[in-house]
Amino acid sequence: MKPSFSILLIGLAFTLGACNTVQGIGQDVQKAGNAIERAAR
């Protein structure tokens, strides 16, 4: 297995661990969208 793929999997595991529910994922995506929107102004 390539090292970059391993790093990606570890990062994904931490990300999914941080938001355990679908609602949590939705909130994270919404916050990211709001940050992008503010940066675009």
Side-chain angles (χ1 to χ4, degrees):
M1 191 176 337
K2 294 183 178 181
S4 59
F5 186 69
S6 298
I7 293 170
L8 177 68
L9 286 178
I10 292 169
L12 182 61
F14 279 119
T15 301
L16 292 176
C19 45
N20 295 330
T21 63
V22 174
Q23 182 180 6
I25 294 170
Q27 290 173 349
D28 291 345
V29 170
Q30 185 176 16
K31 287 179 186 177
N34 288 342
I36 292 170
E37 186 177 321
R38 282 193 307 270
R41 290 184 189 170

